[in-house]
Amino acid sequence: MKKFALIYLLILSALPQNVLADEVNVYSARKEALIRPLLERFTKTTGIIVNLVTGKADALLSRLQNESRNSPADLFITVDVGRLSRAKNAGVLQPVSDPGLEQLVPTRYRDRGNYWFGLSMRARTIVYSRERVKKTSLSSYQQLADPVWRKRLCLRSSENIYNQSLVAAMIVSDGEAATLQWAKGMVRNLARSPRGGDRDQIKAVAAGLCDVTLINTYYLGRMIKSKRQDARAVAAKVAIFWPNQQGRGVHVNISGAGVTVSAPHRENAIRLLKFLLTAESQRWYAKVNYEYPVRAGIAVDPLVAGWGEFKRDDGPLPQLGDFNARAVMLMDDAGWK
Ligand code: FE
């Protein structure tokens, strides 16, 4: 018996390390349902086992910082360029220069030093009450600060990264002084103090607490496609408006991923990144959450297509990360809670 155990150990130690553990460790701030099936397909195609840790974005980032170079993580997946930039600045990501990856992801959807790459694109736009708002009374993000919307606007809090990035985009396009005036106007127009998530803003408009709000469109997509009748009824009361079509276009953002600074399975992490950027994965990844692919020429879900084509803000996303801290301060100055 002892002899067998010894032989077994000898065989084990003789095997190359990657045969024993061909795996990749993923820390993901995305909901498991939005990523797990793709990871399973990756394993089927490559034989590489994916160990998935799911959690809140900020908690995962702190964990990566604490684990530092000893982290078992290979790939960090999260949403919003503000967060991806924070991860880069916190030193938990490493650059990946890979011509294949650079070709797959348009320049404006990846970090300048290739510390992170966009995986899907989302639009943060205006949603309004079908009952109480005429489409023709809407035009731009800027116009939502006009007195005509007094006590008719609902917003998420300034702690929310989506709004921080939207304000950063305003600073880039309009400058800090104009953006501060705009933010003050938005605060004056609030029907209630900022609270809740994107879905809560949609519910508030549907319930008549306010008439207009700002949301990422996939939240509405999920409600329209919900199994719950009450969610579908709420969604039916609102409509999407694409602002700034004469100017800079609709504010867009990304979900994305970066290889961690520790990455014990760096090559596998890069393989996974590339897999998430294949045409098939892009279609699935965008479709499952009613987002848009980052790669051009890939079909969106019919529901998303039904919302129509729109001009998007083509400014490079990395600069929204650069302006995140300024955006947070500006919102505070404007009294945006
Ligand atoms: Fe979201």
Side-chain angles (χ1 to χ4, degrees), residues 14-61:
L15 286 170
Q17 204 58 39
N18 60 356
V19 171
L20 281 179
D22 206 6
E23 55 185 6
V24 63
N25 301 322
V26 176
Y27 283 9
S28 170
R30 298 221 80 174
K31 282 217 186 74
E32 198 162 328
L34 299 182
I35 188 83
R36 176 73 87 180
L38 262 188
L39 301 180
E40 280 168 2
R41 204 178 295 173
F42 174 72
T43 301
K44 229 180 207 170
T45 317
T46 62
I48 299 168
I49 294 159
V50 184
N51 304 307
L52 178 65
V53 173
T54 319
K56 293 254 176 227
D58 294 334
L60 287 177
L61 180 56

Side-chain angles (χ1 to χ4, degrees), residues 38-311:
L38 262 188
L39 301 180
E40 280 168 2
R41 204 178 295 173
F42 174 72
T43 301
K44 229 180 207 170
T45 317
T46 62
I48 299 168
I49 294 159
V50 184
N51 304 307
L52 178 65
V53 173
T54 319
K56 293 254 176 227
D58 294 334
L60 287 177
L61 180 56
S62 314
R63 184 167 164 181
L64 281 170
Q65 282 179 279
N66 291 334
E67 292 171 344
S68 184
R69 285 179 184 273
N70 299 317
S71 177
D74 297 297
L75 193 68
F76 179 45
I77 301 178
T78 189
V79 298
D80 204 285
V81 69
R83 283 215 189 90
L84 289 161
S85 298
R86 269 179 212 168
K88 179 193 177 184
N89 295 337
V92 302
L93 302 179
Q94 62 167 295
V96 173
S97 67
D98 182 295
L101 273 178
E102 285 169 39
Q103 213 195 335
L104 288 171
V105 184
T107 317
R108 66 175 181 278
Y109 295 148
R110 59 179 151 89
D111 176 60
R112 299 177 194 95
N114 292 331
Y115 280 76
W116 49 258
F117 298 85
L119 294 174
S120 64
M121 195 272 276
R122 53 270 303 281
R124 192 159 187 78
T125 196
I126 297 174
V127 150
Y128 63 95
S129 159
R130 290 184 189 272
E131 230 171 68
R132 298 179 304 280
V133 176
K134 276 206 189 83
K135 196 179 169 183
T136 49
S137 62
L138 292 160
S139 64
S140 64
Y141 298 107
Q142 287 85 342
Q143 192 260 351
L144 288 182
D146 285 1
V148 66
W149 298 109
R150 192 65 41 95
K151 298 223 184 298
R152 298 173 71 190
L153 176 67
C154 278
L155 287 174
R156 259 183 109 150
S157 99
S158 58
E159 278 169 28
N160 171 244
I161 192 88
Y162 300 155
N163 281 342
Q164 292 171 10
S165 286
L166 180 108
V167 172
M170 297 286 288
I171 294 175
V172 170
S173 75
D174 297 1
E176 240 169 290
T179 303
L180 178 62
Q181 287 317 305
W182 169 77
K184 283 179 177 170
M186 295 290 270
V187 170
R188 269 197 300 273
N189 285 348
L190 287 172
R192 61 174 188 179
S193 68
R195 75 189 69 163
D198 279 21
R199 256 172 298 224
D200 297 310
Q201 313 312 313
I202 299 171
K203 285 180 194 163
V205 171
L209 292 170
C210 43
D211 295 339
V212 280
T213 188
L214 293 169
I215 59 133
N216 289 355
T217 56
Y218 56 83
Y219 287 104
L220 185 61
R222 283 191 214 157
M223 288 173 106
I224 292 170
K225 293 284 188 179
S226 174
K227 289 190 191 87
R228 296 178 50 147
Q229 205 279 327
D230 55 343
R232 295 198 304 273
V234 163
K237 287 182 177 283
V238 305
I240 279 177
F241 181 80
W242 301 122
N244 297 71
Q245 294 302 283
Q246 256 61 50
R248 70 175 166 106
V250 172
H251 170 64
V252 298
N253 211 311
I254 50 167
S255 77
V259 176
T260 64
V261 72
S262 54
H265 314 90
R266 185 177 191 270
E267 289 315 308
N268 289 349
I270 295 170
R271 265 183 96 175
L272 177 54
L273 256 182
K274 281 184 176 162
F275 178 83
L276 294 172
L277 288 157
T278 60
E280 198 192 350
S281 299
Q282 280 283 287
R283 212 173 294 125
W284 186 92
Y285 192 69
K287 198 179 162 81
V288 71
N289 194 37
Y290 308 107
E291 292 180 72
Y292 298 84
V294 284
R295 280 180 60 181
I298 290 169
V300 294
D301 186 89
L303 169 73
V304 176
W307 290 331
E309 301 267 331
F310 59 93
K311 181 184 175 186

